[in-house]
Amino acid sequence: MTIPFVTFIPLEKELDSDLREAFDRVYTRSWYIEGEEDKAFEKAFASYCGTKYAVGCGNGLDSLMLSMKAMGIHEGDEVIVPSNTFIATALAVTYTGATPVFVEPDIRTFNIDPAKIEDKITDKTKAVVAVHLYGQPCDMDPIVKICKARGLFLIEDCAQAHGATYKGQRIGSFGDAAGFSFYPGKNLGALGDAGAATTNSKELADKVRALGNYGSDYKYHHIYQGNNSRLDEMQAAFLAAKLPSLDKVNENRRATAKKYLDGIKNEEVILPYVNPDTEPVWHIFAIRSKRRDELKEFLTGKGIGTNEHYPIPMHEQECYKNLGFKHGDFPIAEEISATELSIPMYYGMTDEEVQYVIDAINDFS
């Protein structure tokens, strides 16, 4: 049996007519930027997340960067980010001119450890970014408390966690702003690059929108030195067609995750921990093993696709050598990078496929 790490085919088959109708609607209207599709999707997505506003952007990185710029974060400032995340989180900080300050995660959940945040706060700190990595919500109560007590902005990176909840509340609605990616592989994915920022602040929403439109609040009137980062009409239409299926997609992933959690029993494998206050959406099902590379090769031999998130920690990336870190400075992030292996997780996996993966992992010795 051959099982890919991910495939979009099952959902796209189900939504084929809706996606084609969305394309035809935009094509027939012949309006491709900042039109009715964008407005409709923003309204629907904000409602889904439980926020007042959503602003479409070109991609997830821009949704974070524009939110930070809208908050006035700039050169000389510091922004706390987890040491274990995709590099876009740190790049968003860098593109404002500020400096990313890395904080180690809780190795059980892969997310930033709230108990380690305060030690990294200085008089230059302006914000904390809570990344809901792999679709696992952060422990939000203590993070919110720290930010309120210290007068810091709270930004959620929700790029992998569309629809996840913490104590029954959707992620993306806790912070001053949140960034979402709609990269095709996400639980809610476009058919190309796309993103959005959510917020309950009209001032922030208006500023994010202007910053993403060349700094313009109306045509040829530029109040900021902005960027070009807008959600185009075609992607907005595709996302609007897929949004009603997101809860079904997430429930399907949860069912697969439960089978993995119940069925994988191998002393060489550490399963992900689930905070009882959260309801993850399992964008990634991340296991860990001291023999990660051997396990990966074994599963490849069985026809099972895998991936590694992320094999080089951010502080060891060439692009951040200017920060002066060395191997050993963030041992938890390094441990995760050396041991994490992502196994197949996508909407539409059959019982037989899931069991095949479980049996293969249990056979590894």
Side-chain angles (χ1 to χ4, degrees):
M1 185 179 291
T2 300
I3 302 175
F5 172 66
V6 67
T7 178
F8 313 140
I9 293 174
L11 183 61
E12 288 177 352
K13 280 186 175 180
E14 289 185 15
L15 299 179
D16 182 78
S17 61
D18 293 328
L19 293 171
R20 291 179 186 277
E21 192 278 331
F23 173 86
D24 289 340
R25 190 170 64 246
V26 175
Y27 186 66
T28 300
R29 188 180 288 144
S30 192
W31 189 289
Y32 302 110
I33 298 289
E34 294 188 314
E36 295 304 314
E37 298 292 342
D38 190 18
K39 292 175 185 176
F41 173 71
E42 288 179 348
K43 183 178 180 180
F45 191 65
S47 176
Y48 179 84
C49 293
T51 60
K52 292 181 180 178
Y53 308 100
V55 181
C57 306
N59 53 67
L61 190 160
D62 285 357
S63 71
L64 294 171
M65 181 263 294
L66 294 172
S67 295
M68 292 177 196
K69 284 189 172 183
M71 293 169 181
I73 294 170
H74 53 67
E75 186 175 357
D77 293 338
E78 294 177 349
V79 176
I80 288 173
V81 302
S83 58
N84 175 56
T85 184
F86 182 55
I87 201 164
T89 311
L91 289 175
V93 178
T94 301
Y95 292 161
T96 68
T99 301
V101 175
F102 301 134
V103 170
E104 289 274 66
D106 180 332
I107 199 166
R108 301 174 307 161
T109 65
F110 307 106
N111 285 329
I112 194 167
D113 187 342
K116 294 182 170 69
I117 291 175
E118 292 210 71
D119 287 344
K120 294 295 184 79
I121 296 174
T122 72
D123 58 0
K124 295 181 180 180
T125 307
K126 293 298 185 292
V128 174
V129 183
V131 182
H132 307 290
L133 199 65
Y134 307 149
Q136 294 266 17
C138 291
D139 189 5
M140 292 306 297
D141 281 352
I143 299 174
V144 170
K145 184 177 180 181
I146 291 168
C147 289
K148 286 184 176 179
R150 295 298 196 109
L152 304 176
F153 287 111
L154 173 56
I155 302 160
E156 294 176 78
D157 183 339
C158 308
Q160 300 182 0
H162 316 65
T165 62
Y166 175 83
K167 294 186 175 179
Q169 181 178 339
R170 298 266 196 214
I171 56 92
S173 63
F174 289 88
D176 296 283
F180 287 83
S181 166
F182 303 122
Y183 181 77
K186 306 300 186 182
N187 292 33
L188 177 62
L191 303 190
D193 272 322
T198 58
T199 181
N200 285 311
S201 166
K202 185 178 187 303
E203 179 184 1
L204 277 178
D206 289 346
K207 195 167 183 181
V208 168
R209 189 177 303 283
L211 284 166
N213 188 31
Y214 301 100
S216 174
D217 55 348
Y218 61 89
K219 196 171 182 69
Y220 302 134
H221 183 257
H222 303 272
I223 52 179
Y224 312 113
Q225 294 178 3
N227 301 79
N228 175 17
S229 183
R230 300 167 298 195
L231 177 60
D232 72 62
E233 285 289 277
M234 196 67 77
Q235 298 304 337
F238 290 145
L239 288 165
K242 296 177 87 173
L243 181 59
S245 298
L246 179 55
D247 286 342
K248 178 178 71 171
V249 167
N250 288 340
E251 284 302 322
N252 182 265
R253 288 173 175 265
R254 290 187 185 109
T256 298
K258 186 177 188 307
K259 293 169 189 172
Y260 280 154
L261 291 168
D262 292 343
I264 296 174
K265 301 182 186 301
N266 187 324
E267 293 182 355
E268 298 285 352
V269 172
I270 301 170
L271 293 170
Y273 168 80
V274 179
N275 181 337
D277 288 330
T278 70
E279 192 169 39
V281 293
W282 304 103
H283 172 61
I284 298 294
F285 194 92
I287 62 177
R288 291 197 303 114
S289 175
K290 295 288 187 181
R291 298 170 59 202
R292 188 265 307 281
D293 295 344
E294 294 174 67
L295 176 57
K296 179 182 177 70
E297 184 178 355
F298 178 80
L299 295 177
T300 298
K302 296 278 190 176
I304 298 170
T306 61
N307 210 330
E308 299 165 24
H309 296 90
Y310 299 95
I312 304 173
M314 287 191 298
H315 67 282
E316 294 190 81
Q317 294 283 357
E318 183 73 13
C319 66
Y320 279 122
K321 65 180 181 180
N322 63 301
L323 297 179
F325 296 117
K326 63 183 184 304
H327 186 76
D329 285 344
F330 296 93
I332 300 177
E334 292 167 17
E335 174 74 8
I336 294 171
S337 291
T339 60
E340 191 275 343
L341 186 68
S342 304
I343 60 176
M345 171 60 74
Y346 52 85
Y347 174 79
M349 284 189 75
T350 66
D351 290 342
E352 291 75 19
E353 288 171 332
V354 176
Q355 191 60 50
Y356 183 77
V357 175
I358 292 171
D359 290 342
I361 294 173
N362 288 341
D363 286 343
F364 176 71
S365 63

